[in-house]
Amino acid sequence: MAGILDARPRVGYFYSGKNPGTLLAERIRKILVREVMSVPIVVGENVSVYDAAVTMFLEDVGSLFIVKEGGFLEGVVSRKDLLKAALGRTDLQKIPVGVVMTRRPNIITVTPDDPVYLAAQKLVYQEVDALPVVEEPADGPPGKLRVVGRITKTNITRLFVELGKGE
Ligand code: ADP
């Protein structure tokens, strides 16, 4: 069951040729984004920087996804985006979050059926904390991506802890 031994009729058990490292990699690469993703926390583009910051505290997240009607992805706003917008100003209720967010098409995303390993690679190599999980609905406008989930470094860390239990 660990994959180190394989069985064939009349031959019996034999060494599969796979070392534990290869087996672990195979196991990890089979886990899909949909199995570990969290609920996305979304706001509209006209929400103020102040309200976006309050939402981050209330929802206990570090990134918000900005969506248009129908839940279609427009952008991402991080803690530091809000901090930068707040430096030296006091009118945070007047600045819409759409002004400070990172916008499509520069958003790095994954789909529910992507391997979670790909999501982890994107988080590490693109140096971001969160990825919107998106789907392009067949009946929706072409090119529009609906936000259906969220993958963060926390999801990956949690998965790492679960895998480490070896159950
Ligand atoms: P922080 O800025 O709080 O350290 P991030 O590292 O996630 O958080 O964000 C860094 C920058 O990248 C921010 O300007 C943010 O808007 C942007 N960003 C965050 N997530 C994504 C993403 N999935 N795709 C593209 N840009 C992103």
Side-chain angles (χ1 to χ4, degrees):
M1 273 170 76
I4 295 168
L5 295 178
D6 212 338
R8 231 181 257 147
R10 284 195 292 276
V11 174
Y13 288 100
F14 62 93
Y15 175 51
S16 70
K18 293 176 180 170
N19 66 42
T22 315
L23 293 165
L24 179 61
E26 274 178 12
R27 161 113 169 76
I28 288 173
R29 283 164 198 246
K30 277 189 196 140
I31 303 167
L32 301 181
V33 162
R34 65 166 73 254
E35 296 172 57
V36 300
M37 69 186 194
S38 304
V39 173
I41 308 300
V42 302
V43 294
E45 168 159 25
N46 294 324
V47 159
S48 69
V49 164
Y50 182 92
D51 285 343
V54 170
T55 305
M56 271 189 191
F57 279 104
L58 291 178
E59 301 287 350
D60 195 17
V61 291
S63 318
L64 300 174
F65 303 146
I66 317 303
V67 295
K68 277 228 157 87
E69 216 181 297
F72 293 111
L73 181 64
E74 285 294 309
V76 175
V77 74
S78 73
R79 279 183 275 232
K80 265 186 244 150
D81 290 331
L82 297 185
L83 189 59
K84 197 160 77 182
L87 287 176
R89 32 195 327 166
T90 50
D91 56 348
L92 299 181
Q93 262 128 340
K94 291 197 192 123
I95 320 165
V97 80
V99 173
V100 302
M101 71 183 184
T102 302
R103 239 172 223 287
R104 278 195 80 197
N106 299 323
I107 304 297
I108 302 141
T109 61
V110 282
T111 71
D113 292 322
D114 280 333
V116 73
Y117 183 68
L118 176 71
Q121 282 181 312
K122 287 187 175 184
L123 287 168
V124 170
Y125 298 133
Q126 309 286 337
E127 298 184 7
V128 291
D129 290 345
L131 303 174
V133 182
V134 296
E135 278 175 343
E136 194 174 339
D139 55 349
K144 293 276 182 189
L145 302 173
R146 181 171 284 145
V147 181
V148 296
R150 171 171 64 102
I151 284 278
T152 67
K153 288 180 175 171
T154 305
N155 295 108
I156 308 295
T157 310
R158 206 177 284 136
L159 177 62
F160 185 83
V161 170
E162 285 304 313
L163 290 170
K165 286 181 188 166
E167 288 162 359

